[in-house]
Amino acid sequence: MERFIKKRLDNGLNVYLYPTRKFKTLTFSLFIHRNLEKENATKNALLPFVLKRGTKSLPTARKLSRYLESLYGADLGADVVKKGERQIIQILLDVVNPDYLGQNGDFLDKCLEIFREMILDPYIEEGSFKKEYVDQEKDVLKRIIESLFNDKYNYAIERCLQEMCKDEPYSIYKYGSIDDLAGINEKNLYEYYLETIKTSPMDVFAVGDFDAETIWEKLNSLFKFQRSEIPLKPVSVKKEILEERFVEEKQDVNQGKLSIGLRTNVKYGDEDFYALLVLNSILGGGPYSKLFQNVREKASLAYYAFSRLEKSKGIMLISSGIDFENLDKAVDIIKIQLEDIKKGNITDYEYESSLKDLINSLKQAKDSAPSIISLFLDGVINGIEENIDDYIDKITKVTKDDVVRVAQNIKLDTIYFLNKKD
């Protein structure tokens, strides 16, 4: 069975190696973990855009792009993701396995060196990021944040989570806020970045057909820099709900967007997590689910209806598109679906289809290096290091009784409705 091999550099950086003959490319991902905090969220979101603009030896995006082309189309990128109450900066490198190039040479060393350079030697001028790059990327980030307003499907989901977690870090948008962009400049962003790589927990993953000891030695040599890690804040998952909240917002929209946020009080790493996964699948995971069958198909109350989990925060989110006048009917029938699960009204078709769908999705993930890394990273964040086969094994053992038991702790927190203007 293929598994991650964990090693640790003297400076505290974790290295996870996954040798496999399944892929013809080698994938490397470095993750920089930050607390999700309002004062730093916009800086964290801006950094990947600035880092991609150039490095010490390749100071422009054009030179960087042409160099990557010379490395047989190596793909080097950066992004920011939100997992629970963490904001994570990701640097990704995907390169063809040198074994398929008919050469050994220094090809992989060149690829890994530019990977290192983007992280540890970004392009700077007079002790700061280049002003032009920062100003341009602030404008790009501003437009990305603004674009959420026009994407009503995701806007309604984000607004529900913001209202539901109003006093919690999880309410912060992964790209930060436009208001905070004004206070960011090339100097304070660079100073913040130096502090970030010096103090943040960091993980680097490698997946591909390689000798683990060889890759370990290369990474150990490249990322041996002085740092002093500061632990991240713990995430609060359990919350008592005294009463349901209803939030309505009115805009020029053609279809009502209904989002319902629920507290499951279970997160990845808890014993009940796998039963919660199956529960979510039964409720709104696919065409076999209660939301699809009963809300969309039989009652014709929704154009779409599904549920999803935020596994590091213990939140379940139900999303649907409805006609404006059907709000009360839709909320009532959605509540009935969850109550049916609590009462044990789960058909064999719903249960077996849910297990099959979850297991198939995980098996498909084994064919994608980024998916293998992402799933394992979820575990690392939540204090559990398990491979996909472990995951599948635990899901297979979930019974209907487990699902019913876990359902008893789920509480509706917030109903958000994006309505049309009067």
Side-chain angles (χ1 to χ4, degrees), residues 242-375:
L242 300 177
E243 61 178 4
E244 297 174 7
R245 293 181 63 224
F246 177 75
V247 178
E248 183 181 41
E249 190 172 336
K250 294 185 177 181
Q251 294 181 12
D252 285 325
V253 290
N254 297 318
Q255 183 187 97
K257 303 294 183 189
L258 173 63
S259 298
I260 300 177
L262 305 101
R263 304 274 180 174
T264 70
N265 295 301
V266 174
K267 72 173 182 62
Y268 189 23
D270 294 340
E271 188 178 340
D272 285 335
F273 173 72
Y274 308 93
L276 179 64
L277 272 181
V278 177
L279 184 157
N280 178 66
S281 188
I282 291 170
L283 179 64
Y288 52 82
S289 69
K290 288 182 177 294
L291 291 179
F292 188 93
Q293 291 291 333
N294 299 324
V295 181
R296 183 181 185 276
E297 295 296 295
K298 292 180 182 174
S300 299
L301 281 172
Y303 297 99
Y304 64 88
F306 66 88
S307 62
R308 75 180 195 195
L309 290 174
E310 209 308 326
K311 62 174 73 170
S312 298
K313 179 63 178 170
I315 287 176
M316 178 183 288
L317 194 288
I318 296 172
S319 176
S320 62
I322 62 174
D323 289 329
F324 303 108
E325 63 275 17
N326 286 333
L327 172 62
D328 291 339
K329 290 180 182 176
V331 170
D332 287 345
I333 197 170
I334 287 172
K335 286 183 176 179
I336 289 171
Q337 307 315 304
L338 183 57
E339 287 304 312
D340 272 352
I341 295 176
K342 290 183 177 183
K343 293 174 184 173
N345 297 329
I346 302 169
T347 67
D348 290 342
Y349 169 70
E350 292 166 345
Y351 169 72
E352 290 165 5
S353 298
S354 295
L355 285 182
K356 187 177 179 182
D357 188 45
L358 286 168
I359 292 168
N360 283 342
S361 296
L362 288 166
K363 286 181 176 177
Q364 287 176 15
K366 293 169 73 174
D367 294 329
S368 160
S371 296
I372 291 171
I373 292 172
S374 179
L375 281 166

Side-chain angles (χ1 to χ4, degrees), residues 35-272:
N35 288 314
L36 187 58
E37 299 171 323
K38 185 181 184 313
E39 58 267 35
N40 295 323
T42 311
K43 288 178 185 172
N44 292 331
L46 183 60
L47 280 168
F49 293 94
V50 176
L51 294 175
K52 286 189 289 186
R53 293 300 299 268
T55 70
K56 183 178 180 180
S57 66
L58 300 163
T60 68
R62 180 179 174 80
K63 287 184 177 179
L64 181 57
S65 175
R66 292 183 69 173
Y67 184 68
L68 293 171
E69 286 175 12
S70 75
L71 296 174
Y72 297 90
D75 186 14
L76 180 64
D79 200 358
V80 65
V81 296
K82 172 180 166 182
K83 287 180 180 284
E85 294 182 347
R86 291 189 187 192
Q87 198 178 14
I88 303 173
I89 299 167
Q90 178 185 13
I91 313 296
L92 172 71
L93 171 69
D94 195 59
V95 301
V96 65
N97 190 322
D99 291 346
Y100 293 100
L101 299 177
Q103 58 168 297
N104 291 320
D106 59 356
F107 168 77
L108 184 56
D109 290 334
K110 287 180 178 177
C111 293
L112 287 173
E113 172 54 28
I114 199 64
F115 179 58
R116 183 207 68 82
E117 203 169 293
M118 177 177 275
I119 299 157
L120 299 182
D121 275 320
Y123 182 63
I124 58 171
E125 287 183 346
E126 300 177 355
S128 301
F129 284 127
K130 185 172 181 174
K131 183 177 188 310
E132 178 187 352
Y133 291 173
V134 172
D135 289 345
Q136 289 175 349
E137 298 308 326
K138 281 169 66 177
D139 190 52
V140 169
L141 183 58
K142 177 173 178 286
R143 281 185 270 123
I144 289 174
I145 296 172
E146 289 174 336
S147 69
L148 178 65
F149 183 80
N150 298 320
D151 178 2
K152 301 306 181 190
Y153 174 91
N154 285 309
Y155 177 85
I157 292 173
E158 188 67 27
R159 285 287 296 118
C160 180
L161 294 172
Q162 287 175 356
E163 291 290 340
M164 178 178 173
C165 304
K166 187 173 286 185
D167 301 321
E168 302 166 73
Y170 193 71
S171 64
I172 299 167
Y173 187 38
K174 75 170 183 175
Y175 287 120
S177 72
I178 292 174
D179 290 345
D180 291 334
L181 280 171
I184 300 175
N185 58 45
E186 65 280 7
K187 189 172 190 313
N188 62 27
L189 186 65
Y190 183 61
E191 289 171 350
Y192 175 76
Y193 183 61
L194 292 179
E195 185 69 14
T196 294
I197 58 175
K198 183 180 175 185
T199 61
S200 302
M202 295 169 68
D203 300 309
V204 61
F205 287 75
V207 173
D209 188 2
F210 52 66
D211 175 70
E213 196 58 32
T214 301
I215 296 298
W216 157 247
E217 288 173 3
K218 291 180 185 297
L219 294 174
N220 188 20
S221 172
L222 289 169
F223 292 101
K224 191 185 291 181
F225 62 100
Q226 191 169 359
R227 55 196 297 272
S228 180
E229 203 169 288
I230 298 175
L232 297 177
K233 297 175 183 174
V235 178
S236 174
V237 173
K238 297 184 184 299
K239 185 173 181 179
E240 185 180 0
I241 306 302
L242 300 177
E243 61 178 4
E244 297 174 7
R245 293 181 63 224
F246 177 75
V247 178
E248 183 181 41
E249 190 172 336
K250 294 185 177 181
Q251 294 181 12
D252 285 325
V253 290
N254 297 318
Q255 183 187 97
K257 303 294 183 189
L258 173 63
S259 298
I260 300 177
L262 305 101
R263 304 274 180 174
T264 70
N265 295 301
V266 174
K267 72 173 182 62
Y268 189 23
D270 294 340
E271 188 178 340
D272 285 335

Side-chain angles (χ1 to χ4, degrees), residues 20-31:
T20 172
R21 294 185 174 178
K22 187 169 288 184
F23 307 113
K24 294 184 178 178
T25 59
L26 306 182
T27 301
F28 300 86
S29 282
L30 183 136
F31 298 94

